[in-house]
Each structure stands twice: as C-alpha cells, then as structure tokens.
DNA sequence: TATTGTTATACTCTATAACTATA
DNA sequence: TATAGTTATAGAGTATAACAATA
C-alpha cells in the first residue's frame, strides 16, 4: 500500500492529484469500441442533466474552450446524437439538444459504458459511497472556484 | 447549483465521473510554460515517493501501457530529470531514478506547479479536507482493483 | 518461448490564434 | 466594436501492433 502523506495541504494535494490522474486514465480506457469517448459522454451527460443549451454554455459547463466543444459537437452531430436548432433571436447562436437517439444512448448505452465504475461503487461499503458523494461536492466547488 | 442525483450507484457514478473529468482538465491546464506536463509530473512524483524502479514497474504504478511510459521517460531524460542505470542482473531492464535536478524539481517547482490545488485545499474547511483524504483512499482502491 | 522494453503509427483531447457572421 | 462560434494548427496523452534484445 502506498505510504501516502496527506496530513499537510501539500501532501494531500499531491496524493489527490495522483489519484485523480490515474482514475481519469482508467475511465478513458473503459471505452467500448463503438461507443462515444469520455469527453463526448461528458457533454451528452451534461445536456441530459441540464437540458438544451448553446455551444458556449456547454463549453462553460464542461470547463473547456469553445473550439474544443466545437469539435466534440461536430463528432456528436455526425453520429446523430444531437440536434442543433438556430436561435430565432440571435442568429450567431444555436441551441444544442439531445436527439432521440442521443437520449436513448445516454440512458442506456451510457450506463453500460460506465458499468465498471458503477459496479465498483456498488461494491463499496456505504461509508465509502458517502465519502464519494461528499467528494463530488467538494470537487465541484474546487473546479467552479 | 447542479441538481445532482447521487443516491443511486448509477447516479453517483455519473456525477463522480463528471467531476473527475473536469478536475483533470483543470489540473492539466495549470501547467506553467516551461514546466513539466501533468503526466510527466505524475511519473516524477511516483519516483520520488517510491524510489527508483524499472520502466515497467513505473508503467504499472501509473496505470499506463509500457509504450506510453517510454515516451514520458524519453522526455524526462532529455531534460536531465532522470538517470537510467543498467540492471546488472537482467540486461533487458534499466533502473530509472530521479537525478539531482529531478529531485530538486519535484521538491520545489512541483510545489509551485500545483499551487492552485494546494491553495484551494488549504482554503477548505477541515471537514472537506478530511473528505478528500478519505476520497484518496477510496479512489486508490477503485483504481487498483 | 516468454519477458522487457522500444519504435512506429494513429487517434483522442485540448489549447491558442485567426477568421466569419451577427449584434 | 463586441460577441458567438468555427477553422486551422499544434502539442500532450495514450493505445495497439510489430520489433529487438535478453532470459
């Protein structure tokens, strides 16, 4: 077991960073061949959770720059997972929404896609699940700030 | 605030995945121009924490495939941050160790490099820091399993 | 033959800079 | 002029397949 020093802020920051980097790798590698990528999945999940929005709003949500989101949306549109509707008021913008296919993918295939994580979490003792619930809130605050 | 559903394992898995992906982006973007990348930093930190080891062992620690680690080590060696010593017993292997420069970088520049996270963590109330400490252990178990 | 590591190659993720269209 | 978004380009991160050297 790693002898991790987490009593100081610096030690905790280091250990936390390492664990997040490794978990991120693990999550990326979880991808099935014909499925969407982790980044695409994140965008779809956000659309599913928060509803239709402009590309700019989606980029802000995901904490990526607009050109990065453009690429993600292009890929999703090519696969018919999203629909884009012109904003009637401001013609520079468009409203991105999940298509029927995209909604189905989020609710079904996505669950399979993250089966690994879901199973792992299910197998944890309840106190550990509570730790992760709390951690989600703390991490969200860190990322937003 | 995000209306996150974390009561079910699936909901928690989704929310947790999203938060990890976003935090990872944030950590990557924290890089100063002349510094090492997040991946290189992770390798250096592991060498610092666990001591010299073979490329294969390092890849296993970091949960990457050997060719990925080869690339990281090549970059680190070009910058003089690591030394490689032939294994006297098995000549296929080499032992990778932090150089003096690499050690200095880990102990000094690395701290500056993750100043963002360290500051954020320092500003958290103690219960949140405890949540992150606990989360590090849970995440480590998830990744290892 | 099996193992350790590297080289070759390709795809994903992301950013900055420059551009277009609209406001 | 300012804003929303896209295109062009480049660098980081990672993997699989094929290979070389050694065990």
């Amino acid at each position: 077991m790693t002898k991790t020093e987490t009593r100081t802020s610096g030690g905790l920051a280091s250990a936390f960073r390492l664990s997040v980097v490794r978990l991120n790798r693990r999550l990326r590698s979880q991808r099935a061949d014909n499925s969407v990528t982790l980044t695409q999945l994140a965008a779809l999940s956000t659309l599913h959770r928060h509803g239709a929005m402009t590309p700019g709003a989606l980029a802000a949500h995901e904490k990526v720059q607009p050109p990065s989101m453009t690429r993600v949306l292009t890929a999703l549109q090519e696969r018919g997972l999203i629909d884009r509707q012109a904003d009637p008021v401001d013609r520079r913008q468009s409203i991105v929404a999940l298509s029927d296919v995209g909604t189905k993918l989020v609710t079904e295939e996505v669950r399979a896609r993250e089966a690994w994580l879901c199973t792992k979490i299910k197998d944890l003792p309840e106190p550990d699940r509570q730790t992760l619930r709390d951690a989600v809130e703390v991490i969200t605050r860190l990322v937003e700030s």
Side-chain angles (χ1 to χ4, degrees), chain A:
Chain A
M1 198 48 189
T2 305
K3 204 48 164 228
T4 305
E5 169 59 83
T6 57
R7 280 171 301 181
T8 64
S9 295
L12 177 53
S14 267
F16 185 48
R17 167 176 54 75
L18 279 173
S19 70
V20 167
V21 167
R22 288 173 185 159
L23 179 57
N24 192 69
R25 282 185 191 129
R26 200 60 187 255
L27 291 174
R28 282 194 191 284
S29 70
Q30 243 11 66
R31 188 166 87 87
D33 246 15
N34 291 327
S35 184
V36 293
T37 68
L38 185 62
T39 296
Q40 291 167 0
L41 180 63
L44 291 175
S45 298
T46 297
L47 284 175
H48 191 242
R49 179 166 289 157
H50 297 279
M53 64 183 81
T54 65
L58 195 47
H61 256 285
E62 289 300 314
K63 311 293 174 209
V64 297
Q65 294 302 307
S68 304
M69 190 49 70
T70 294
R71 169 172 293 205
V72 171
L73 293 178
T74 301
L76 292 176
Q77 190 157 30
E78 276 171 6
R79 300 193 45 181
L81 300 175
I82 56 170
D83 289 324
R84 307 176 86 148
Q85 183 190 333
D87 184 320
V89 181
D90 185 340
R91 277 183 299 177
R92 290 172 305 184
Q93 299 187 140
S94 61
I95 309 292
V96 179
L98 284 180
S99 68
D100 290 347
V101 179
T103 303
K104 200 173 167 195
L105 186 137
V106 167
T107 53
E108 293 176 7
E109 192 173 333
V110 162
R111 270 169 212 279
R113 167 69 172 66
E114 70 186 13
W116 173 80
L117 184 59
C118 195
T119 301
K120 290 294 175 197
I121 286 178
K122 213 174 265 168
D123 289 348
L124 290 175
E126 174 53 28
D128 286 353
R129 267 198 300 278
Q130 190 55 50
T131 292
L132 291 186
R133 272 183 215 111
D134 295 343
V136 167
E137 289 196 21
V138 176
I139 292 171
T140 300
R141 242 180 298 136
L142 284 177
V143 171
E144 297 293 336
S145 66

